[in-house]
Amino acid sequence: METFLFIMDKKIIKTAAILGFIAFEFGAFGAHTLKKMVGILELTTFETGVRYQMYHALFLLFIGTTNAISDAAKKVIYFTTLSGTLLFSGSLYFLALNNFLPFNFKPFGFVTPIGGLLFLTAWFWLFVNLSRKKV
């Protein structure tokens, strides 16, 4: 069981590193290239996706390195945060780049608030788990 817990923590930290790396790269792309290609609304949308992806990369880094919450909670938080990032930030990237895509992504924009709800679920689950923990 101890090995599984280490593997899960390592998986969470590696995911945080990947999400952080991608967020930084996308931020640089937005600041240096995309701003010349799209309007202010699309750029703002893209930057919002980058910002929330980075916030949640750091959130996962904390989750993967803390002993303050249960391992079961870490697993729930990991999957809801990862899913939230893919839906929330991912949909914002597609919406911002919609004019460059071979299909119209706007009808799928409804997934953005689903991703936001998953983010809220992860943060709430952290709060609940911390509240239940005996000091």
Side-chain angles (χ1 to χ4, degrees):
M1 187 65 171
E2 190 77 28
T3 303
F4 171 76
L5 300 178
F6 172 73
I7 291 170
M8 188 64 195
D9 286 346
K10 187 174 178 183
K11 181 179 182 178
I12 294 170
I13 294 167
K14 284 170 67 174
T15 301
I18 290 167
L19 290 176
F21 178 85
I22 292 169
F24 189 83
E25 285 295 317
F26 280 15
F29 169 72
H32 299 290
T33 303
L34 191 62
K35 75 177 183 180
K36 299 171 191 168
M37 301 168 55
V38 298
I40 191 72
L41 180 63
E42 290 84 6
L43 186 60
T44 302
T45 298
F46 191 86
E47 289 173 345
T48 299
V50 170
R51 189 170 54 253
Y52 278 82
Q53 181 172 331
M54 184 58 84
Y55 292 158
H56 288 87
L58 296 171
F59 179 59
L60 284 178
L61 187 60
F62 165 72
I63 296 302
T65 57
T66 187
N67 291 323
I69 58 175
S70 73
D71 296 313
K74 284 184 181 187
K75 197 171 188 179
V76 170
I77 291 168
Y78 171 74
F79 286 111
T80 54
T81 302
L82 181 58
S83 300
T85 301
L86 293 173
L87 292 177
F88 185 86
S89 292
S91 66
L92 290 179
Y93 299 144
F94 281 117
L95 288 168
L97 298 171
N98 195 53
N99 292 336
F100 303 99
L101 300 176
F103 60 90
N104 183 12
F105 188 78
K106 287 186 180 183
F108 301 99
F110 70 89
V111 301
T112 308
I114 295 170
L117 184 61
L118 289 167
F119 283 155
L120 290 171
T121 301
W123 285 98
F124 181 73
W125 198 246
L126 172 64
F127 172 77
V128 167
N129 198 262
L130 288 172
S131 297
R132 290 180 180 166
K133 187 135 180 139
K134 304 270 192 259
V135 178

